[in-house]
Amino acid sequence: MEIKELLQQKLKEQFPETDFEFSEFREELTIKFPKEKVVEISSFLKSDTELEFIQCSDVTAIDWAKRKNRFTIVYNIYSFKNDFRLRLKADVDESDCSIDSVSLVWKAANWQERETYDMYGINFNGHPDLRRMYMPEDFEHYPLRKDFPLLGIPGSLPLPKK
Amino acid sequence: MDKKITDSRDIRDNVHPKIIQVLLDADTDVTIEDALENEMILNMGPQHPATHGVLRLVLRLDGETVIACVPELGYLHRGYEKLAENMNYYEFIPHTDRLDYISPMANNVAWVLAVEKLAGIEAPPRAQYIRMMVAELARIASHLVAIGSFAMDVGALTIFLWTLREREKILDIWDILCGARFTNSYTRIGGVANDIQPEALAKAKWFIDQFDENLTECEKLINTNRIFVDRVDGVGVINKEDAIDLGFTGPNLRASGVEYDLRIAQPYLKYNEVDFNIPTFAEGDSLARYFIRADEARESAKIVRQVIEKMPEGEVLLNQPKKVLPHKTEIYTKMEELIYDFIIVNFGINPPEGEIYHAIEGSKGELGFYLVSKGEGHPWKCKIRSPTFNNIQALPKLVVGQMISDVVAIIGSIDPIMGEADK
């Protein structure tokens, strides 16, 4: 059976009560689900012997600016066994800007989530070390949000003490 | 913690308390034969000559043994992802040069391939072959710098000059090809900027013919040199499972025994038409990471030779005025082309609504671009999946338990480029 069908079938069997949204663009499969399920689904995808998505290539977020669920968290995972790349997505609203951390499932997600936190201000619950990745620790804004101006905010980056 | 922690020169003023806290909290299982009474926190970088740019490590030491390590990034953060959201797809090509500045050609190729996948177009075969050639030459150049600077980090100075001499020849080829030696910006959406000149092709051929011999000469300096081999053999070992879990890709992953190469696993360009091997090593130590780069450079030379032999004739830029900037000569003489030129320059190429991820096997590992389009001229979101960022993440795993002097060797062996890690 082809991996895409296998994936859909397995996920529906394993999580019968979860709403999955499968979509495909340019032959890349994307699976969207409610954010509460992210750790469960990730661990299942990693540990299932037929799927084995053992590497997390990337974690990032998309800021939709005006939509109801303002942010979408995107996980890009890879299965060496099936030579297949899968994208997972979960919506996060601005009023509750948090999602469970998958850094205990894939260690690589640790820094990737830190980067997402730094750039978008998404809180990853249960993350072992949620600090800023690139910006200084006392920086107050989230640069990749759409409401952050391209030229930056004057005075937001303090100059070093003399 | 009842042990006394001594600080190197006023470190608490210069290191953020949160980093110190992470260091102190790190649960460490390093056992030291005769542990000293006190531990020390040492700051290394960002202006340290052996950290390959502006990488900063904060180390917790017991005597000379590293017991915890926290890398700090961001000293070269220029916000390229933000910039990408505010410019059209063509305008971002020169910015990709500044990501991995040791192999800018490969970044150019990665970016245009991602945009082409999003727009649903494909470059003509000759352009694809040229791209393959420049990407492989970029890999050779990058590995030469990696080998040279790694050897220099552990004290072998001569080889650095020799490998840079070889790299200089590649830069000369690029000089003929696109007029720039470092920041090339040679590829275009739908093809490349100009056809490859006969001189550039001849020079590439000459380079490949003499490369093997010269690389062997460089290797002779250190391969059987006990001072070098003893220094790096068995240092910074990482096993297969950890390497995958921590996000290693590229040569570093293959040095840990995973036979995985995007050129084979998910062939892009015309890599399925050329014949080459993927060298792998099982050891996963710094020495293996050095050997694999030399072997890969040889394989790349093999690819370049085949590409030169097989290169088809034909156009190097797609003739599709709605998606691709037309040739200048056609803009001056044809009405339609002139109109589309205006539209593309002013509004961009407007790929359809959707999202794609495309990765190539860069010289450091998997270099990918995740693009989200809303059907506008500029990307709604651009995420750069840089290999170095993920490679550095594994650094604490590699250095903990090693001696302080080995940290330099380990950093050199994973070949970090901070322009890429910091974006």
Side-chain angles (χ1 to χ4, degrees):
Chain A
M1 197 193 303
E2 216 200 333
I3 173 79
K4 286 176 186 168
E5 291 160 23
L6 182 75
L7 249 171
Q8 304 198 3
Q9 188 192 330
K10 282 217 164 206
L11 281 173
K12 277 173 190 160
E13 265 173 35
Q14 192 72 19
F15 305 96
E17 282 161 24
T18 312
D19 296 333
F20 286 107
E21 236 177 81
F22 298 92
S23 59
E24 229 181 299
F25 182 71
R26 304 260 185 253
E27 292 172 8
E28 293 180 2
L29 184 65
T30 305
I31 301 178
K32 199 169 178 178
F33 47 78
K35 68 171 183 175
E36 292 77 22
K37 290 276 176 189
V38 63
V39 176
E40 269 179 72
I41 292 172
S42 313
S43 341
F44 169 71
L45 289 172
K46 188 188 175 186
S47 56
D48 188 273
T49 47
E50 275 181 89
L51 301 173
E52 282 188 9
F53 285 92
I54 50 175
Q55 189 169 57
C56 180
S57 296
D58 212 353
V59 176
T60 187
I62 308 170
D63 181 1
W64 295 110
K66 285 173 186 165
R67 286 194 194 168
K68 188 175 160 243
N69 288 316
R70 182 171 167 185
F71 299 103
T72 302
I73 316 292
V74 185
Y75 302 87
N76 176 354
I77 57 175
Y78 189 75
S79 160
F80 287 84
K81 189 177 182 181
N82 299 307
D83 230 332
F84 186 72
R85 197 177 288 289
L86 176 67
R87 197 155 43 231
L88 307 177
K89 276 179 161 188
D91 277 343
V92 170
D93 192 43
E94 203 182 358
S95 58
D96 174 24
C97 215
S98 66
I99 187 167
D100 291 339
S101 166
V102 295
S103 58
L104 296 177
V105 182
W106 297 289
K107 277 188 204 148
N110 188 319
W111 276 25
Q112 292 156 358
E113 288 184 342
R114 267 179 68 190
E115 192 194 345
T116 313
Y117 160 72
D118 188 4
M119 293 292 143
Y120 289 94
I122 314 278
N123 283 306
F124 289 90
N125 304 328
H127 190 285
D129 175 25
L130 198 62
R131 285 180 293 125
R132 284 192 175 261
M133 191 77 238
Y134 294 134
M135 304 307 287
E137 206 58 60
D138 39 13
F139 191 67
E140 288 169 356
H141 309 278
Y142 300 109
L144 273 182
R145 286 192 176 187
K146 290 284 178 186
D147 50 10
F148 187 85
L150 180 63
L151 287 174
I153 295 171
S156 61
L157 273 174
L159 292 169
K161 275 177 280 180
K162 276 192 182 160
Chain B
M1 168 146 317
D2 48 356
K3 274 185 182 175
K4 188 179 160 247
I5 303 243
T6 44
D7 300 342
S8 65
R9 251 181 342 147
D10 61 3
I11 195 153
R12 279 177 203 260
D13 293 342
N14 295 317
V15 180
H16 199 274
K18 276 193 186 171
I19 300 174
I20 303 263
Q21 203 52 49
V22 175
L23 274 176
L24 297 182
D25 291 347
D27 48 337
T28 174
D29 51 358
V30 179
T31 47
I32 301 158
E33 271 181 19
D34 49 357
L36 295 173
E37 280 302 301
N38 52 15
E39 294 180 352
M40 186 170 86
I41 290 175
L42 182 76
N43 181 54
M44 181 175 173
Q47 287 107 342
H48 192 284
T51 55
H52 291 242
V54 286
L55 173 63
R56 179 197 196 185
L57 302 178
V58 188
L59 304 160
R60 187 170 131 211
L61 305 168
D62 188 326
E64 283 194 56
T65 313
V66 180
I67 55 176
C69 162
V70 176
E72 267 291 291
L73 273 68
Y75 290 91
L76 202 59
H77 180 64
R78 294 146 295 177
Y80 274 136
E81 290 167 358
K82 185 84 178 171
L83 287 171
E85 288 172 11
N86 290 280
M87 55 179 61
N88 69 39
Y89 295 91
Y90 269 102
E91 284 169 333
F92 195 65
I93 295 172
H95 289 285
T96 58
D97 290 334
R98 278 88 178 162
L99 290 172
D100 175 2
Y101 41 73
I102 302 291
S103 58
M105 279 289 198
N107 305 346
N108 294 163
V109 172
W111 172 255
V112 293
L113 282 174
V115 176
E116 283 170 12
K117 187 174 179 184
L118 182 65
I121 54 179
E122 199 178 333
R126 187 174 171 85
Q128 298 208 24
Y129 268 89
I130 295 175
R131 284 176 185 181
M132 239 160 87
M133 188 183 118
V134 295
E136 291 309 317
L137 283 174
R139 188 187 320 278
I140 296 176
S142 167
H143 283 349
L144 285 171
V145 175
I147 292 169
S149 53
F150 171 51
M152 194 170 69
D153 283 347
V154 294
L157 278 176
T158 316
I159 184 174
F160 183 66
L161 302 173
W162 290 18
T163 54
L164 275 229
R165 179 195 65 199
E166 291 303 304
R167 173 176 175 251
E168 203 65 15
K169 296 168 186 166
I170 298 177
L171 298 190
D172 286 343
I173 297 171
W174 289 348
D175 194 3
I176 304 171
L177 192 60
C178 61
R181 287 156 58 78
F182 284 111
T183 46
N184 309 104
S185 313
Y186 173 60
T187 57
R188 295 288 182 273
I189 295 160
V192 291
N194 52 271
D195 197 358
I196 188 163
Q197 298 86 348
E199 307 92 76
L201 211 54
K203 183 130 192 177
K205 208 179 226 167
W206 167 79
F207 172 77
I208 294 305
D209 286 340
Q210 52 92 59
F211 174 68
D212 202 38
E213 199 180 319
N214 285 345
L215 184 63
T216 313
E217 205 176 31
C218 293
E219 283 181 312
K220 270 186 195 162
L221 282 176
I222 50 175
N223 270 14
T224 50
N225 185 340
R226 277 203 57 191
I227 303 170
F228 172 77
V229 173
D230 287 358
R231 178 80 200 273
V232 293
D233 191 12
V235 167
V237 183
I238 186 161
N239 64 25
K240 228 180 198 178
E241 289 74 26
D242 283 339
I244 291 173
D245 203 17
L246 281 163
F248 257 18
T249 45
N252 295 332
L253 182 62
R254 290 190 286 275
S256 291
V258 184
E259 199 180 331
Y260 168 66
D261 190 316
L262 277 170
R263 289 173 292 175
I264 298 279
Q266 298 178 333
Y268 52 95
L269 293 175
K270 300 283 182 191
Y271 277 109
N272 45 6
E273 290 177 14
V274 290
D275 173 40
F276 62 101
N277 302 321
I278 317 174
T280 46
F281 281 83
E283 289 85 359
D285 59 355
S286 299
L287 189 62
R289 286 193 283 273
Y290 152 71
F291 280 140
I292 203 148
R293 291 204 163 83
D295 287 0
E296 264 186 30
R298 287 213 169 78
E299 291 299 323
S300 292
K302 221 163 94 182
I303 297 176
V304 175
R305 183 171 286 127
Q306 292 175 50
V307 166
I308 293 173
E309 278 166 13
K310 286 187 182 176
M311 192 170 299
E313 294 297 318
E315 282 291 311
V316 293
L317 194 63
L318 194 65
N319 186 13
Q320 201 172 331
K322 282 185 187 176
K323 296 266 175 66
V324 177
L325 270 182
H327 282 293
K328 262 275 168 327
T329 47
E330 288 178 357
I331 297 169
Y332 290 142
T333 51
K334 289 178 187 157
M335 192 63 208
E336 287 285 295
E337 271 78 355
L338 180 65
I339 293 168
Y340 285 120
D341 183 67
F342 265 119
I343 291 176
I344 289 176
V345 169
N346 286 311
F347 304 107
I349 58 168
N350 302 347
E353 203 165 317
E355 52 182 350
I356 58 104
Y357 176 82
H358 189 272
I360 70 158
E361 184 72 31
S363 49
K364 315 289 183 296
E366 177 188 324
L367 172 65
F369 289 96
Y370 171 59
L371 293 171
V372 179
S373 163
K374 272 186 153 186
E376 293 163 346
H378 48 85
W380 180 257
K381 152 103 193 150
C382 162
K383 164 81 192 184
I384 303 159
R385 194 269 177 209
S386 71
T388 304
F389 178 77
N390 289 277
N391 289 347
I392 293 176
Q393 178 161 210
L395 205 55
K397 175 88 190 161
L398 293 168
V399 301
V400 166
Q402 304 285 337
M403 308 295 274
I404 176 89
S405 58
D406 292 337
V407 174
V408 174
I410 293 168
I411 295 173
S413 77
I414 65 166
D415 187 20
I417 299 293
M418 293 315 286
E420 188 178 59
D422 284 352
K423 293 182 262 204

